[in-house]
Amino acid sequence: MKKLVIFDLDGTLAESKSSLDAEMSALLQDLLKRVKVAVISGGDWPQFEKQLLANFPVNGLLDNLSILPTCGTKFYKYANGWEKIYAENLSIKEKEKIIHALKEASNTVDFKIEKTWGEVIEDRGSQITFSALGQKAPLEEKKTWDPDFVKRKKIKAILDQRIPEFSIRMGGTTSVDVTKPGIDKAYGINKLKDILGIEVSEMIFIGDALFPGGNDYPVKQTGVVSISVRDPHEAKRIIETINACL
């Protein structure tokens, strides 16, 4: 019997930077009545508040929900309000080095970006995120920019050479996430194990970037049962199946 179901957010529970729809919110609330749930994604805490928590009523079910922003480099639990358990923040020097490398890499690859919306490189404290079209780019623009990850793989290859001392992963629809070495979603899974007292064998992970280089891929290293989905629609059907089994 599984005791914890862990989800990615963008591309799994919701479209990129979009809120959960009513059906997904209802399915997750049903799941929270049966097991503990965690959501671990590249976005920072404000993004979770907007996309996920704004669609949840404040009730006893939140006690069963864990939030891990910025690929598990932060951890929040609910106890009469949301409490930050930890944050593996980057130093100023580390941030400067990562940002410089991201700028060089994005200027080196053989494609041009004609228009951006909002910040392209965002400091999330424990993670630096490169969003090729900007943080506020329209969803349709983002979906068509790099659907096969070819462009971001080129950026990642350059970063792997220039800043090999950091963890570099692709996530969302246009983003590349950089964190401290070893501080990734696998780290988040192990923190869930320690903090919640739930064994990895009692967990399930569901995400859309479980391929090599994707920001969900480190999860596989923990041995947790992992289910790959293409989009929120497919994730809904899996949640329905889990609810029925439980």
Side-chain angles (χ1 to χ4, degrees), residues 21-193:
D21 62 28
E23 182 185 11
M24 182 64 83
S25 179
L27 286 169
L28 286 177
Q29 288 179 62
D30 284 344
L31 188 61
L32 282 163
K33 295 174 184 176
R34 298 171 170 87
V35 293
K36 292 186 181 297
V37 172
V39 184
I40 177 170
S41 190
D44 205 352
W45 174 250
Q47 198 63 42
F48 277 83
E49 289 183 301
K50 177 183 176 182
Q51 285 185 258
L52 179 68
L53 299 177
N55 296 280
F56 274 79
V58 178
N59 55 33
L61 294 178
L62 292 180
D63 292 340
N64 280 338
L65 180 62
S66 298
I67 302 294
L68 289 83
T70 52
C71 294
T73 61
K74 298 178 184 179
F75 193 121
Y76 288 79
K77 278 289 293 173
Y78 190 85
N80 298 318
W82 287 99
E83 177 185 355
K84 184 192 292 182
I85 306 300
Y86 71 77
E88 302 288 355
N89 289 326
L90 295 157
S91 69
I92 293 174
K93 287 186 176 180
E94 287 173 326
K95 291 178 182 180
E96 289 175 347
K97 186 171 185 178
I98 293 167
I99 291 170
H100 179 71
L102 281 168
K103 288 179 178 178
E104 283 191 334
S106 60
N107 289 329
T108 300
V109 289
D110 57 353
F111 56 83
K112 293 184 178 180
I113 299 170
E114 296 181 356
K115 184 178 180 180
T116 59
W117 294 261
E119 288 182 281
V120 172
I121 298 177
E122 184 182 17
D123 178 356
R124 296 177 178 176
S126 56
Q127 174 179 292
I128 304 297
T129 296
F130 169 79
S131 298
L133 302 183
Q135 292 294 321
K136 299 180 180 180
L139 181 58
E140 290 308 311
E141 294 282 347
K142 293 167 70 174
K143 280 184 173 182
T144 59
W145 185 75
D146 190 29
D148 50 9
F149 290 85
V150 169
K151 295 175 181 177
R152 279 173 291 167
K153 284 179 180 177
K154 292 179 180 179
I155 293 174
K156 183 181 182 306
I158 296 170
L159 294 173
D160 284 338
Q161 291 183 339
R162 300 197 179 185
I163 49 171
E165 67 271 36
F166 295 98
S167 291
I168 301 152
R169 305 289 177 185
M170 296 173 286
T173 51
T174 65
S175 62
V176 175
D177 301 320
V178 185
T179 62
K180 288 184 177 182
I183 311 296
D184 51 25
K185 289 191 179 183
Y187 181 84
I189 296 294
N190 287 316
K191 281 295 188 179
L192 284 165
K193 173 187 173 183

